[in-house]
Every structure is written in structure tokens, then in C-alpha cells.
Amino acid sequence: MLAPFGFFYLVFLIGPLLYLLVAGFFNTSLVKGGLGEWVGLENYRRAMSTEEFWTSLWHSMWFTVLTTVPLVLLALVLALLTDRFSQGRWFFRLAFFAPFVLPSSVISLMFMWIFADQIGLAQSWAKSLGSETPPSWLGDPDWAMLSIAAATVWWTIGFNFVIYLAALQEIPRDVHEAAALDGAGPWQRIRHVVVPMLGRATTLVTVLQLVASLKVFDQIYMMTGGGPDRATEPALLYVYNTGFTEGRVGYASTVSLVLFVVILLISLVWFALLRRTEKEG
Amino acid sequence: MRDRPPPPGTPPGPPPAAPRTAPTRRALLRAAGALGATAATGGLLTGCGTAIGQGFTGGAGPASKLDFWNPFTGGDGARMVEMERAYRERHPGIDLNATTFVWGDPYYTKLTLATLGDRPPQVAITHLSKIPTLAGAGLLREIGDDELAAQGMTADRFDERAWQKAHHDGALRAIPLDTHPFVLYVRTDIAKKAGLLGPGGALPDVDGPEEFLDALRAAKEVTGAWGCSIASTKDPSTCFRLFWSLYRQLGGQLVADEGQRVVIDMAAAEEAFAYVQRLTREKLVPTGVDSPGAITLLTSGRAGFLLDGVWQILAVQDAKVPFDMRPFPRIFREAAYACHADSHGLVLPKSPSEKAQRADTALEFVRSLLDASDAWAGGGHVPAWLPTQRSAAYRKLEPQSHYAAAADGAAYDPSAWYSGAGSSLHNRLGDVCASVLGGRTAPGRGAARMREELRELAATPSPL
């Protein structure tokens, strides 16, 4: 039964990954056949000494911080609020989850209109709130990443929200009743009963969110192309630029592999930390 | 796979024999199985003839099949389909299979990989600024004078600059189709109100650094918003084109030796940047608009001028406002007139065999496209084929013929593996220029940043 799956896994995942690992030691080129010449650790040395590599990695991390925190906290708050409705819960579930169904190209186009200079909604809102010269949301290096992060939060919050809502519904009513009988107020119940019981959901949500945010590409590629002044260029876009625009496949392979290891390490460390606190709890 | 007519001379096959009695489920299943088997063997037998079959076997395919790849969508795409139709009508024996891909990296990676994998199309479109990379990697077949002359194509019938740019290492690698310069769009109604139009409604004289600024000031007074719009958000290429046009008019060069040596003229770069910053400091040009936004500012009357590529003519025409076009103004006189330009050319990607290359058929097709380039000119591109460029019909084409002279000052990208349409050179240097335009970087610092970027690119190992 495993054979068909194993075959595709080997051909489309393990195979390319091995090729990536090998190509990282060659000066493989997109415009030439074969692997090219062996360059040893040259690609790694070059990546480590290239400023753009580090800034793009930093942009990926910064984007992860900007999105993961609200995407977890806000999703939890929305789920807690929605859970209080006994009727019409389906409406909120649908409303918060709906944006998640949209393809990245659609939300990019929508937010490019919203964030547009002169004609965009975001600038006119800022003006009505009293800002005389609203920032160029996607055109100002200081604001572009924040704007993209805000769009991403709106777009993907539904997924975490649904997981939290499902976990909330798993908590038996008696636990709430027992806590209430013991004299715990609503806030205490959330703080000391509900949130600890959501531990496993939180682990799942944060790990998935970390991985998803660290490999951000689509919406940035479409909304700013990494600009202005490369202020929003994430690591994957750097891989794309060096690999496809410049045709330096060997070097791009090296960077992808480093990114792969970074994402793996961050996820593992985070996972281990959560596990330990859970056990201590 | 689109636009593929049924191969001529193949009548529809006989309809499948209908079962006389009501079919049982088992009979139906058996019939379906047999049908599938026939289709499979049939597919194998004729496998070399189909695109999928060729993909697997790498066969040359029938001599009557001609694959043509291009990156044209929108108005250009529609025109290209029209030109292909003209070819099909005249050559019913050739099965022209035209395929359109998304412009930019998606197109060039596919063209490159298909050629490396011995499955290239017989003819493909490329930007001439990409010739150093494609020809340098050995992906393009040289085109000989004799075979070209056999189709009536000779050097003297092509625009000289485009013809030069189509060469690499002394050999012709592409047949130029057009030149598309960076030009100035003018709202004639605004220019008139601003008192910029000369007698007879002639175009304003905006050459010279002060003269151009004066014209923008006058236009700004009429529009109440901006003098001229230029895309600077998410459009590094446009910013690069602006810088390069000014910088070349000052006689500057960026790199030499196929991009291995940086020869930037710091004083000229700083001067060009200083001028760029004058445009925005006086708020004659907006700093935060993207490409569609820049066009909208012109068409909605909030800017009197627009600096952009000729291919935007369709978008401006669609707005149904009075406008005209002219070459990028001559701001500086330190060197010969220059404006950024690129060209589309037709290349013959290297095939594994002469049988698969089908150079004669391919060149015949190229000639047919050139003959139809009056249709192409409608999309804004200046035809490189002189019989069209010098025709009375083109001279009457307005406003297209008004900027044809810009092709004589065509300043192509410097020759390097990292330059050309949508390249790292455009992205990196365009970013610097956008930063200067936006007032975030001083002119001197901009020139220094540009030198740093170029040094980094020049020191990067070439993928060629």
C-alpha cells in the first residue's frame, strides 16, 4: 500500500532534496547543462559573507515575529469570543475563516488596492483619523513590511481560529462548572482553566505558523517584489532572485539548504520548549 | 497549445459504430477498455508526432511542425496572434504551434531549460538585452548571412542599432523585430492650457534641463497636482530607465568587459541623480506611484506628462484622452542623444539536429512576422524592419511615428550576464534610483551605492 506514495515521495521530495544538497557544492548554472564544476564550500562561504543573504534572512524572521504573535493571540481571542455564542456560531466561523480560502494572488491584488498611494482606502482612513500626510504603505521602507504583515494576518487568521475553536469545544462543560462552583470568575476560568487546556492546540498552531511565516514568498513577491530598496525581501525571494533571475542555481541551492536547516532548527527548538513547559505544567 | 488550428487536410474520422442493441453494462465496460487500449497504442505509434510524445522521445517531429514561443499577453499578445494568423493563411502546409508564457523569469527559464533539454521551439522571442546571456551560454544558433538573404533579409533592411545589438561575438544571434524606447507621453489638452504647444499644435520643446523643468511647472499649474508622473514603487526597471537615459546623455558607462569591470563615472552618476532629485524636490513628480498608478495620473489629468515605455500606449489610448508622444527629452548635451531602449528579437534556439532545427522554415516564418510588423507597430514598438519603418503607412501612424527617431538614440543595457530586461542590474540599480527619487538617498550617496552594487555584481561568479 505504501508503494505508490513511497514512489512519489522519493521522486518528488527526497530526490530533489538530495539534488539540492549536491548542487550546493557545485557552481550549477541555469543556462548550462549538468551540475557544473565542484566548488566545495565556496557557495557557503559566499553566502555567509554576503550582506543580502543575512538581511533577507532577517526579513523572514522579522515577518515571522510580526505575523506569528498576532496570528496566535488574536486567533485565540476571536475563538474565545465566538465560543461564547450558543447560536449563530457558524456565522463567525465562516466569517473569520473565509479569507483563508482566497488564493495569495487575490489577497495581494486586494491589498495592493487598499494600500495604494493617493487612491487607496488605507490612506484615506489614515487621513480621516487625522494624519495629514499618510505614509506610502507599500512604498515606504519603514512601513512596507508592516503593511504586508497586516494583510497576512487578515488573510490567514481563520486557520488558527478554527483550530482553537475546535479545541475549545473539546473542553467538557463540567470543567467550567467545577471551576465556577469553586468560585472562579470568567477571567480566572480563561486564564487558569481554558488556556492551559488548550496547550496542545497552541503547540500545533505556533509550530505550523512559524513554518508558514518563515517560508513567506507569494504575497511579498506580488505586493512589493521585495522592495522598496529590498526592505521586504525575504530569504525565499533571495533564493528566487539568485536562482531564477540570475541563473546561479548552485548558489541558490546552498541558500535554500541553509534556510531549510534554519526553519527546521527554529521549529524543533520551539517545539521542545513548548513540550517542556507543558510537562512542567 | 493555444491558437492551434486543426491540421489541414484531415477530414473528421468516421463516427464510432453504434451498438445495435441496448448495451449491457459489461459490454460497455469492455468497449471502453478496448477504446482505451487503442488510444494507448495509437498514442505510442504516433508518439513522435505529438508534443507529449516528443517530450519523452526527444524526436525531431514532423517537418511541417513549427513551434514558436513568445511572452506576449494583453494588447501585444492579440497583435502577435493576428500576425501568426497571417502566416498560417499563407502557409497552410505548416502546423504553426504558438505558445505564450508569462513574461520575465518564467519565460526565460522555460526557454533556457527547454533548449538545454534538447526540446527547444524552432523560433522564440527574446529581448536583445538578453543576448549576452543566452548566446554566451551557447543556447542560440548562429544565423548565417546566406540563409538570411535567401529569405530576403539583409543588414541594410534593419534598424542599425537593433541590428548591432543582435550580434554576439561577431555573429548574428537574433533577428530584430522592434525597438521599444523610454519616451515622453504628453496630454495635449493640458499642454495647450499651459501654453506649451507651439503654432499648429506642435509638440512642446522640452529639451534642456531648465526647459524640461519649466514645462513640468507649467503643466503642474494646470493640473493642480503633478507635472509629470513616473512609476517608482515596485518598478525598479522604470527607475533604471530614467537614470540610464540621463546618464548616457552625460556619456557615462557602467561596466565593461562583459560586466567584469566597473567603469562607473561617479561625477556623471551624481549629476544624473541630482537632476532626478530636482524633479521630486519641487514636487513636480510624485514619489509613491506604481506603474498603473503613474498611467492613471496622466489619463485622469492629474499629471501633464508621463515618462514610460512605448508599450503603455495601449493603456493610455484606452482612456480616450487627447495625448501625444515624443522621444525622451534631451536633458544633457555632454554626449550624443540617448534614451533607454530594448528590442524584441527572434532567435533560433539550438536544436539537437538540423532536422529538428528546421532553420529554413523558421526563417521564412520570421520574415512573415517582419512583413506584418505594421500591425506590431500599432502596439507602440518602433519596427526594426526598415521597409515597414519607412513606409508611408507607418509615417501616418500617430502618435507612433512621432517618436520613431528615439530608436536612433537607443541606449541598450550594458552587456553583462546580470543585465537586460527584468535583470538583477535593473532591480538593484533601479532600487537605488527609486531611493534617490524618493529623497531617501542623496545624489552623491546614490552614486556610491550604485558603485557598490555594481562591484558586487561584477565580483559574482558568472553562471555562463
Side-chain angles (χ1 to χ4, degrees):
Chain A
M1 281 309 278
L2 264 176
F5 169 74
F7 173 76
F8 282 103
Y9 194 71
L10 213 65
V11 170
F12 291 108
L13 204 93
I14 304 291
L17 197 61
L18 287 178
Y19 187 86
L20 176 96
L21 182 71
V22 173
F25 294 104
F26 289 82
N27 64 357
T28 311
S29 158
L30 189 71
V31 291
K32 290 207 162 166
L35 273 171
E37 287 161 31
W38 170 267
V39 292
L41 290 173
E42 170 64 20
N43 286 334
Y44 287 87
R45 195 195 57 74
R46 187 171 284 278
M48 298 302 140
S49 62
T50 301
E51 197 194 329
E52 197 181 348
F53 165 76
W54 293 108
T55 50
S56 69
L57 203 58
W58 161 244
H59 291 149
S60 287
M61 307 256 186
W62 179 227
F63 176 82
T64 304
V65 173
L66 285 177
T67 52
T68 304
V69 175
L71 274 172
V72 173
L73 292 182
L74 215 57
L76 175 64
V77 171
L78 292 177
L80 284 170
L81 291 174
T82 307
D83 193 47
R84 297 185 78 84
F85 284 93
S86 49
Q87 284 189 336
R89 199 183 284 160
W90 66 271
F91 171 76
F92 292 97
R93 207 163 45 206
L94 177 72
F96 291 131
F97 191 72
F100 187 71
V101 188
L102 297 177
S104 50
S105 51
V106 173
I107 79 114
S108 303
L109 279 176
M110 274 171 47
F111 277 89
M112 278 162 72
W113 279 107
I114 292 174
F115 289 136
D117 281 336
Q118 321 252 358
I119 52 168
L121 274 177
Q123 282 203 341
S124 53
W125 286 338
K127 268 185 194 156
S128 65
L129 287 175
S131 163
E132 285 196 2
T133 48
S136 168
W137 298 105
L138 291 175
D140 184 331
D142 297 332
W143 282 100
M145 192 59 110
L146 288 170
S147 307
I148 295 173
T152 308
V153 169
W154 178 84
W155 175 35
T156 58
I157 196 158
F159 183 74
N160 298 350
F161 165 79
V162 165
I163 291 183
Y164 268 131
L165 196 61
L168 279 172
Q169 286 162 4
E170 292 272 293
I171 299 176
R173 295 273 353 138
D174 354 351
V175 179
H176 284 279
E177 279 163 23
L181 278 178
D182 286 341
W187 173 243
Q188 280 173 312
R189 283 212 296 275
I190 288 174
R191 171 106 172 61
H192 298 291
V193 179
V194 176
V195 171
M197 288 191 81
L198 290 176
R200 289 179 61 191
T202 304
T203 312
L204 180 71
V205 161
T206 46
V207 170
L208 287 181
Q209 191 55 56
L210 274 178
V211 175
S213 289
L214 282 170
K215 36 177 227 187
V216 60
F217 178 83
D218 304 22
Q219 63 269 46
I220 295 188
Y221 177 74
M222 280 177 274
M223 287 165 76
T224 62
D229 245 352
R230 266 185 265 161
T232 57
E233 183 187 66
L236 260 188
L237 190 56
Y238 180 58
V239 171
Y240 177 89
N241 286 342
T242 49
F244 292 109
T245 308
E246 295 186 358
R248 296 155 62 206
V249 175
Y251 179 75
S253 302
T254 304
V255 178
S256 327
L257 192 73
V258 173
L259 182 66
F260 173 72
V261 172
V262 167
I263 293 181
L264 200 68
L265 282 180
I266 291 181
S267 315
L268 285 178
V269 167
W270 180 249
F271 197 68
L273 278 176
L274 280 181
R275 264 316 184 51
R276 218 171 67 190
T277 48
E278 242 176 77
K279 271 188 193 144
E280 279 167 5
Chain B
M1 299 300 286
R2 301 186 333 194
D3 323 320
R4 191 175 172 186
T10 45
R20 276 178 211 128
T21 53
T24 60
R25 196 170 70 122
R26 187 169 297 173
L28 252 173
L29 281 175
R30 207 179 304 143
L35 211 77
T38 323
T41 38
L44 272 183
L45 286 176
T46 57
C48 304
T50 67
I52 298 172
Q54 271 173 52
F56 280 111
T57 62
S64 63
K65 191 160 164 290
L66 191 69
D67 287 319
F68 168 52
W69 286 10
N70 68 72
F72 299 126
T73 51
D76 277 350
R79 281 191 167 75
M80 188 46 83
V81 168
E82 208 177 288
M83 290 154 77
E84 289 156 9
R85 194 180 299 132
Y87 172 80
R88 284 197 189 99
E89 273 164 19
R90 257 177 282 137
H91 301 86
I94 302 290
D95 176 13
L96 173 65
N97 185 17
T99 310
T100 303
F101 296 102
V102 177
W103 184 90
D105 293 331
Y107 176 72
Y108 284 110
T109 47
K110 284 182 187 71
L111 182 62
T112 305
L113 292 177
T115 310
L116 284 175
D118 284 344
R119 273 80 162 163
Q122 277 79 35
V123 185
I125 289 279
T126 181
H127 284 95
L128 292 187
S129 59
K130 285 282 184 186
I131 294 286
T133 308
L134 296 173
L139 299 175
L140 303 181
R141 182 184 180 277
E142 283 181 28
I143 303 165
D145 288 345
D146 297 346
E147 50 185 353
L148 209 57
Q151 296 295 341
M153 295 183 278
T154 44
D156 58 315
R157 305 186 79 181
F158 286 95
D159 193 284
E160 199 194 331
R161 279 181 186 256
W163 181 255
Q164 289 303 326
K165 186 65 186 170
H167 285 72
H168 184 81
D169 273 348
L172 185 72
R173 307 297 179 126
I175 299 155
L177 174 65
D178 65 42
T179 304
H180 42 270
F182 190 61
V183 295
L184 182 69
Y185 292 73
V186 188
R187 272 291 292 267
T188 39
D189 50 342
I190 294 174
K192 194 174 176 195
K193 269 187 217 156
L196 290 169
L197 286 194
L203 282 174
D205 182 18
V206 290
D207 290 336
E210 299 311 321
E211 288 81 349
F212 186 55
L213 287 178
D214 284 343
L216 297 196
R217 285 184 198 115
K220 182 181 169 152
E221 231 160 79
V222 175
T223 63
W226 306 104
C228 176
S229 68
I230 304 170
S232 56
T233 294
K234 217 195 144 200
D235 199 349
S237 285
T238 293
C239 292
F240 175 74
R241 290 180 191 118
L242 173 67
F243 167 79
W244 185 239
S245 302
L246 293 170
Y247 181 67
R248 288 295 298 138
Q249 291 187 1
L250 289 163
Q253 289 287 6
L254 289 175
V255 290
D257 299 343
E258 291 298 304
Q260 298 196 16
R261 201 156 51 85
V262 179
V263 292
I264 185 171
D265 177 342
M266 293 296 279
E270 189 173 342
E271 192 176 346
F273 274 151
Y275 192 74
V276 166
Q277 216 160 55
R278 284 184 71 189
L279 297 173
T280 47
R281 192 171 302 141
E282 258 191 69
K283 298 217 178 293
L284 297 170
V285 167
T287 54
V289 290
D290 59 2
S291 177
I295 297 169
T296 308
L297 285 183
L298 180 86
T299 55
S300 64
R302 295 175 68 191
F305 298 90
L306 165 74
L307 281 172
D308 210 329
V310 293
W311 53 91
Q312 306 291 16
I313 187 174
L314 299 170
V316 180
Q317 272 174 341
D318 277 349
K320 310 242 181 295
V321 290
F323 79 102
D324 202 347
M325 293 161 76
R326 53 153 287 157
F328 182 88
R330 194 189 211 319
I331 304 292
F332 300 115
R333 297 196 173 270
E334 271 76 355
Y337 173 73
C339 60
H340 180 273
D342 203 340
S343 290
H344 292 117
L346 292 134
V347 292
L348 314 184
K350 246 183 212 162
S351 279
S353 68
E354 276 303 307
K355 191 166 168 275
Q357 188 87 55
R358 301 200 264 286
D360 289 339
T361 318
L363 289 173
E364 193 184 14
F365 171 65
V366 170
R367 172 67 203 260
S368 151
L369 289 184
L370 292 178
D371 285 335
S373 58
D374 53 339
W376 191 240
H381 312 286
V382 182
W385 182 236
L386 292 183
T388 303
Q389 198 194 101
R390 291 182 180 158
S391 68
Y394 180 72
R395 251 179 253 145
K396 265 188 242 144
L397 194 64
E398 288 183 338
Q400 283 89 339
S401 55
H402 295 175
Y403 54 80
D408 301 334
Y412 291 94
D413 276 19
S415 182
W417 65 266
Y418 48 77
S419 78
S423 63
S424 277
L425 185 88
H426 279 212
N427 293 340
R428 288 170 172 237
L429 302 196
D431 268 352
V432 177
C433 187
S435 188
V436 172
L437 187 82
R440 298 189 296 271
T441 303
R445 177 77 196 110
R449 268 186 64 189
M450 215 167 234
R451 185 171 58 189
E452 282 163 35
E453 296 283 2
L454 285 170
R455 279 181 178 161
E456 209 174 290
L457 283 168
T460 304
S462 157
L464 295 182

